[in-house]
Amino acid sequence: MDKIIIEGGNSLSGKVTISGAKNAVLPIMAASILGNGESIITRVPDLRDTRTMIRLLEIIGSVCRFSDGKLTIDSASVDNPEAPYELVKTMRASFYVMGPLLAKFGEVRVSLPGGCAWGPRPVDFHLRGFEKLGAEIILESGYIIAKANNLKGAEISFDFPSVGATGNILMAAVLAEGKTIIRNAAKEPEIVQLCEFLNLMGADISGIGSSNIIVEGVESLESAKIDIIPDRIEAGTFLIAGALLGEITLENVNKNHLLSVVLKLKDTGSEIVESGNSLTILPSDIINPVDIQTAVYPGFPTDLQAQWVAMMSIAKGSSVITDNVYNDRFSHIPELNRLGAKIKVDHNSAWIKGVVSLKGAQVMSTDIRASAALIIGGLVADGITEVQRVYHIDRGYEKIEEKFSAIGAKIYRESA
């Protein structure tokens, strides 16, 4: 099993090109099922998760070609509306195929999802939405079976603006008969791009980017072409690293997707310079402690909570980080404490007392963003840090050790 070795305490300087967004490309890949030909997706990050989704699409019957960030998906031969446990257990986003397969075939069989080993993320919102559209839902031997002779538009209101449920219901509703209104819909940039892709395929979706999305059902969709938006979470991760270790310029970013993060980074004392589609972070000698509360977009993203905790661990003072999206997403904290951080968890809040320095140690990652936090901690710490179980980081970050190495970090991957 691979591990990442870091010799900490080295300053960073240089440019990093941000990859396409993992959380945008996965639902768009699933949406390609709805077309009747060859969709082309560019700026696709080469990740374990994108490779897993490609394998799933091929099992369903799609023909996929992936090279140099360009993914071609031909869905003309899709004929197997089933997502097996072997793949779905490794990646929750596999569940995205349920909506398009239900819309296209009127029946789908999908394993209950797996993925990161933290927090319950129930699929109830998805299933209740499918039922509103007229589907019958059956749970059988760890699988969800959905059947509908004819999906019909409905008004669906979420108790919480779930990104996954919003995307899945959208992909089912585009071929439903009549109008569907999704209230309290997710507004994340990744959902906006999914809507744009579906419209390019011939869907009729309005209210994009708002809390109320309106879908007028159409009879069929065609293939389309799209360029994936920059990954705002990868960008935020490198901005946080820059705030700690040196001037970094990020290229291929959408600053509008990072407003909440940029404002908080400025509060810590860093300066951020904008130029076209690039951001440069100029760190301060002293990191001011800054509290955050995660929230759905456009609030501070939960996917940057762990990285922020790592930064606050050496801030000059105390801070409180509250995760309002996932109540128990704190598996990184015992590992950061192994590096010398002083962090306590109470319910869904982390109480951090900044220390002068961290010290390298062996640590173990448990999910994608925890891995990024431990890498940041290792880059800051004195001595050697070994981050184990880095297959998690490969699910969400494209060649992260190579990108850090290119800007001055002493970091490399070691295979067992």
Side-chain angles (χ1 to χ4, degrees), residues 372-411:
L374 296 178
I375 287 175
I376 289 172
L379 291 170
V380 172
D382 297 326
I384 304 297
T385 297
E386 294 186 6
V387 183
Q388 300 176 12
R389 295 176 67 181
V390 295
Y391 59 85
H392 288 292
I393 200 84
D394 295 334
R395 290 186 52 214
Y397 290 85
E398 187 175 34
K399 300 176 181 177
I400 190 170
E401 74 276 12
E402 294 181 20
K403 290 186 177 183
F404 271 120
S405 179
I407 56 174
K410 292 187 177 180
I411 178 173

Side-chain angles (χ1 to χ4, degrees), residues 22-33 41 44-45 47-64 66 71 73 83-84 87-88 90-98 100-101 168 171 395:
K22 173 184 91 85
N23 291 335
V25 72
L26 295 177
I28 285 173
M29 291 170 69
S32 71
I33 295 169
I41 310 172
V44 176
L47 306 170
R48 287 177 65 101
D49 276 11
T50 49
R51 295 282 182 176
T52 297
M53 184 63 87
I54 286 171
R55 291 199 302 273
L56 178 53
L57 291 175
E58 288 173 340
I59 287 172
I60 289 168
S62 296
V63 177
C64 302
F66 182 38
L71 174 60
I73 305 171
L87 288 181
V88 181
T90 67
M91 185 182 70
R92 293 174 188 262
S94 304
F95 202 68
Y96 271 129
V97 301
M98 191 166 192
L101 287 175
N168 229 339
M171 289 186 279
R395 290 186 52 214

Side-chain angles (χ1 to χ4, degrees), residues 2 14 23 29 63 121 170 208 214 238 265 320 346 367 386:
D2 288 4
N23 291 335
M29 291 170 69
V63 177
R121 290 189 277 180
L170 275 168
I208 298 172
I214 301 170
F238 276 95
L265 282 167
V320 182
D346 183 15
D367 64 67
E386 294 186 6

